[in-house]
Amino acid sequence: MSSKHSHSENHHSSSESSSSEEEKHHHHHSCKESSSDQDEKHITQLECIKIKKGHRGHRGHRGHRGSQGDKGCHGPTGSTGPIGPTGYTGSKGPTGPIGPTGYTGLIGPTCYTGASGLIGPTGYTGYTGVPGSASATGSIGATGYTGYTGYTGYTGYTGYTGYTGYTGSVGATGPPLSVSFADFYALMPGDNSATVALGADVQFPNNGPFLGVNIARAGPSSFILTDIGIYQILFQVSINEPGQLVITLNNLEQTFTTVGRATGTSQIVGMCLLQTISLNSIITIRNPAGNSTALTITPLAGGASSVSAHLVIMRLF
């Protein structure tokens, strides 16, 4: 910038110098024109003298800027400035995304298996040891003398056969055989056509085989056990609904005899031992009063033939 300012001052100085030269040239020209008139030569010189002594005229207009001069040579390189202080370490930038997985390298060539080494020579067989000397065999002992056979004893006489004992008297006759049984049954369709209501009994209106007089019918669904004793009770009934059946003794439900099923249309089967404590006890097979569903005895279960339901009673003692 200093060079530019110097250049401007030089240019200004040149302009002033040029203006002064122009004034001189103009002055000289004016003098020359005045001197052309030979007749007024003297006057012209006087005028020139007057002009020289007159007031300085106004400065002329600044001339046009001259063209830029040639570029000067580069000055020498300045000395290196001191190293500035180290700037603060910037915060760590976010981690860049993981680059794509490189291609799996090619499997290297399989090396050749080296040839098997030669089998070494068989070692020498060791020397056979010297056999040991055999022990001397002992001499056989002398055979002893055979003893004399003893005499056979005499056979004894056969004893006399004893007399046959007297036959004992016949024992008292035992009690008569107490076993008795009876089979009662129903056939559906026909029997049990109505549903078995809650607290009602299943009917077995038909008589099957029987033995003895301890078991008898009281009605189509009730039966008498005439004697006190232990009885085996077996029954089976086909029904449509999930339900239960129980044996009653003298109109009381024997809860330990309750049997039933939760689903399906299979038979309900019961078996138990029942002890009576009074003569002429009455039993039935009942839909428990505490249940919620009446029972339908299944007719023609599984086919076209009538289906049976049975109650078998046997006195054991």
Side-chain angles (χ1 to χ4, degrees):
M1 181 172 179
S2 176
S3 174
K4 182 177 181 182
H5 180 68
S6 176
H7 176 71
S8 176
E9 289 179 350
N10 291 337
H11 178 70
H12 178 68
S13 177
S14 299
S15 297
E16 291 180 352
S17 176
S18 174
S19 176
S20 179
E21 290 295 330
E22 287 177 358
E23 289 179 0
K24 287 181 181 180
H25 179 70
H26 178 71
H27 173 70
H28 177 69
H29 181 69
S30 299
C31 292
K32 189 175 180 182
E33 288 179 351
S34 298
S35 61
S36 63
D37 191 355
Q38 295 296 326
D39 292 335
E40 298 178 357
K41 181 177 180 183
H42 182 64
I43 297 172
T44 302
Q45 291 177 351
L46 291 175
E47 290 176 354
C48 289
I49 293 171
K50 290 180 179 180
I51 290 171
K52 290 180 180 179
K53 291 183 178 181
H55 295 289
R56 178 178 292 178
H58 295 290
R59 179 179 293 178
H61 295 290
R62 179 178 294 178
H64 297 290
R65 178 177 295 179
S67 60
Q68 184 174 347
D70 296 330
K71 185 176 182 179
C73 299
H74 285 285
T77 304
S79 59
T80 304
I83 299 173
T86 303
Y88 295 106
T89 302
S91 59
K92 185 177 180 180
T95 303
I98 299 173
T101 304
Y103 296 105
T104 303
L106 299 176
I107 298 174
T110 303
C111 294
Y112 294 105
T113 303
S116 300
L118 298 177
I119 298 173
T122 303
Y124 295 106
T125 302
Y127 296 106
T128 303
V130 179
S133 57
S135 299
T137 303
S139 59
I140 298 173
T143 302
Y145 296 103
T146 302
Y148 296 104
T149 303
Y151 296 103
T152 303
Y154 296 103
T155 303
Y157 296 102
T158 303
Y160 295 103
T161 303
Y163 296 102
T164 303
Y166 296 101
T167 303
S169 60
V170 177
T173 304
L177 182 66
S178 62
V179 174
S180 59
F181 59 81
D183 180 13
F184 307 100
Y185 67 93
L187 289 176
M188 284 68 64
D191 299 331
N192 293 295
S193 57
T195 58
V196 181
L198 299 176
D201 299 320
V202 178
Q203 294 183 359
F204 301 92
N206 304 300
N207 295 329
F210 69 93
L211 175 66
V213 294
N214 305 106
I215 304 167
R217 176 184 294 279
S221 59
S222 58
F223 307 91
I224 301 173
L225 307 180
T226 58
D227 294 335
I228 297 172
I230 296 176
Y231 296 82
Q232 182 180 46
I233 313 296
L234 305 172
F235 66 88
Q236 54 87 7
V237 182
S238 296
I239 63 172
N240 289 346
E241 303 83 6
Q244 294 178 330
L245 293 174
V246 64
I247 298 174
T248 68
L249 179 61
N250 297 324
N251 206 34
L252 296 177
E253 294 182 3
Q254 306 299 302
T255 55
F256 75 95
T257 68
T258 303
V259 290
R261 61 178 177 80
T263 59
T265 56
S266 59
Q267 291 181 329
I268 293 181
V269 178
M271 63 182 68
C272 69
L273 296 179
L274 193 65
Q275 183 174 9
T276 62
I277 58 175
S278 62
L279 298 174
N280 300 319
S281 296
I282 295 177
I283 69 167
T284 66
I285 307 300
R286 179 171 295 177
N287 182 6
N291 287 0
S292 59
T293 305
L295 301 179
T296 303
I297 308 300
T298 308
L300 304 175
S305 299
S306 296
V307 175
S308 66
H310 282 267
L311 170 60
V312 176
I313 304 172
M314 179 181 297
R315 183 185 178 190
L316 302 180
F317 176 76

